[in-house]
Amino acid sequence: MFGGWRTGLSGPVIVLQAGTAVNFFGTGLILPFEIIYLHQARGFSTAIAGLVLAAVMATAAVVTPPSGALLDRFRAKPILITGNLASALGYAGFAFVDRPWQAFVCSVVGGAGFGVASTANQVLSLTLVSAEQRAASIALRRVAGNFGLGSGATVAGFVIAATDHLRAFQALYLLDGATFGIFALVVLAGIPNLRPAAAAPASDRRTGFRAVAHDRLFLILIAANIVLTTTGGALFSNILPPFAKAHTPVGPSQIGLVIFVNTVFIVVAQIPATRVVVRMRRAHALAATGALFAIGLLAVLLATLTSSALAAGAVLAGVAIVIAIGECAQFIVLGPVVADLAPPQLLGRYLSLYSLTFMAGVALGPAVGGALLAVSPDAVWWGGALASALTGAGLLRLGDRIPDPSQP
């Protein structure tokens, strides 16, 4: 029954991803209620609250490339611990802010820690496994993150529903900060302090990110990932809820259920899906990802053609599953490809830029989708489907240029 969940990964990898699950549980505790807390409990305007949250990701984006360079010179373990401790300080500090400038300081500290720790976690995860285990390691990290995020959000929903007071919000932020500290302790006690990859020759050290910029295939892949992240996960998570509420008969509870279906499907199917995807040519798997996103986005429009809330909800649940399958393939193909393309002394830089593509996609999805919603709501879905399909076709044309595991 559980054979499909066997990963063959070592104990330290499993311990690391257990820590990741705890960490994301804390993130889930606050993620749905950040603007509510800052606006209702602290009296900030919604505009200021939005800027405070944007500052987290903006800071993370700024520090991610330098953290990649740092990881190419020093061990990932102490850098991951440092990043988590910074995030612990920043997010716990949110419990006590009562002025916007204090919230912005917490955003900068927490965002900096997140940017550093995110790349360090990836580097450490990949250094703990062989090349053949990279897909399984990435799949397990994704399962851990989604499970933690979903369970944290569920618990927080019950807490806020039971007592919508300032102390409840403060407790959630303090617990979130504590999960970063717990993750740091897990890494400290349970993960070996592996040495970094062999340093580049002195003549090559000056190149840095310029060496990465000369890898045209890598640049094509991360550009494609921005499109896939924008049109797949970001449009589904950020634009589908307001669109469905305004243009379909489903209500808030059904919208929440649709998001829940997507998250649960990823948790359940990600590791078994790895066994299927690793048997495919990587170019074919990436093309399939683009096709699945296109099909899912177009299917959203079917929910507008019925007046039945049950039928529309069923259609959107199907969309959630199709998008989830595409996301499963996207992560477990692109991550190992990036690691395979990276010279050992530049792994941190490659992974830092790869991480940036997800940040860019998460930012572009709401921005582009929100603008289109105001002008032509249907264009969000057929436009996104067209972009996904074209991106998938372009990746398919790369063919043998995208290395498969069996290739040198």
Side-chain angles (χ1 to χ4, degrees), residues 327-381:
E327 288 181 301
C328 286
Q330 177 189 8
F331 278 81
I332 59 180
V333 173
L334 274 172
V337 169
V338 169
D340 289 350
L341 291 176
Q345 72 275 9
L346 295 176
L347 180 62
R349 288 177 171 87
Y350 270 71
L351 289 177
S352 68
L353 294 182
Y354 175 58
S355 295
L356 271 182
T357 63
F358 289 101
M359 297 180 191
V362 169
L364 284 172
V368 175
L372 285 176
L373 275 182
V375 178
S376 176
D378 288 356
V380 175
W381 309 109

Side-chain angles (χ1 to χ4, degrees), residues 14-382:
I14 295 172
V15 169
L16 179 63
Q17 301 318 328
T20 299
V22 172
N23 188 200
F24 272 84
F25 174 82
T27 301
L29 289 175
I30 64 163
L31 190 62
F33 305 105
E34 290 178 292
I35 289 182
I36 294 173
Y37 165 67
L38 293 174
H39 177 56
Q40 295 184 1
R42 292 302 185 182
F44 298 179
S45 69
T46 54
I48 292 295
L51 287 174
V52 167
L53 301 186
V56 175
M57 294 307 297
T59 305
V62 169
V63 305
T64 294
S67 72
L70 199 65
L71 285 158
D72 285 334
R73 299 191 62 183
F74 302 102
R75 305 184 191 202
K77 177 176 175 175
I79 294 174
L80 178 55
I81 292 172
T82 301
N84 277 310
L85 292 178
S87 290
L89 181 63
Y91 280 99
F94 269 107
F96 306 104
V97 302
D98 54 17
R99 291 181 175 82
W101 72 264
Q102 296 169 336
F104 278 110
V105 170
C106 290
S107 292
V108 170
V109 175
F114 173 77
V116 170
S118 178
T119 308
N121 192 349
Q122 292 184 68
V123 171
L124 186 55
S125 296
L126 291 176
T127 56
L128 291 170
V129 299
S130 64
E132 294 76 16
Q133 293 176 314
R134 285 170 176 167
S137 175
I138 290 169
L140 183 60
R141 187 171 73 245
R142 184 155 165 75
V143 168
N146 276 273
F147 176 78
L149 199 66
S151 56
T154 302
V155 170
F158 283 112
V159 171
I160 298 302
T163 170
D164 188 11
H165 296 302
L166 173 61
R167 289 185 182 276
F169 288 110
Q170 288 178 308
L172 292 179
Y173 272 99
L174 289 173
L175 185 54
D176 180 32
T179 63
F180 283 100
I182 292 170
F183 190 20
L185 289 175
V186 168
V187 174
L188 178 64
I191 308 301
N193 193 18
L194 300 179
R195 293 184 179 276
S203 59
D204 294 337
R205 287 179 187 167
R206 294 174 299 172
T207 58
F209 280 104
R210 285 186 295 174
V212 182
H214 283 101
D215 190 337
R216 293 185 60 189
L217 177 58
F218 173 67
L219 297 181
I220 291 171
L221 289 174
I222 61 173
N225 195 45
I226 291 175
V227 177
L228 292 176
T229 302
T230 301
T231 58
L235 288 185
F236 174 80
S237 298
N238 299 107
I239 304 301
L240 179 62
F243 176 86
K245 187 174 184 299
H247 301 283
T248 76
V250 303
S253 61
Q254 290 166 305
I255 293 172
L257 183 60
V258 167
I259 303 298
F260 177 76
V261 166
N262 175 263
T263 303
V264 169
F265 191 90
I266 290 173
V267 170
V268 172
Q270 180 72 80
I271 292 176
T274 304
R275 298 179 180 274
V276 176
V277 174
V278 295
R279 297 190 183 101
M280 301 173 63
R281 296 290 303 274
R282 283 170 167 172
H284 294 171
L286 291 174
T289 297
L292 286 166
F293 285 167
I295 292 169
L297 295 175
L298 288 175
V300 170
L301 297 174
L302 297 177
T304 66
L305 303 179
T306 178
S307 58
S308 167
L310 181 61
V315 168
L316 294 180
V319 168
I321 292 173
V322 171
I323 296 294
I325 296 171
E327 288 181 301
C328 286
Q330 177 189 8
F331 278 81
I332 59 180
V333 173
L334 274 172
V337 169
V338 169
D340 289 350
L341 291 176
Q345 72 275 9
L346 295 176
L347 180 62
R349 288 177 171 87
Y350 270 71
L351 289 177
S352 68
L353 294 182
Y354 175 58
S355 295
L356 271 182
T357 63
F358 289 101
M359 297 180 191
V362 169
L364 284 172
V368 175
L372 285 176
L373 275 182
V375 178
S376 176
D378 288 356
V380 175
W381 309 109
W382 61 256

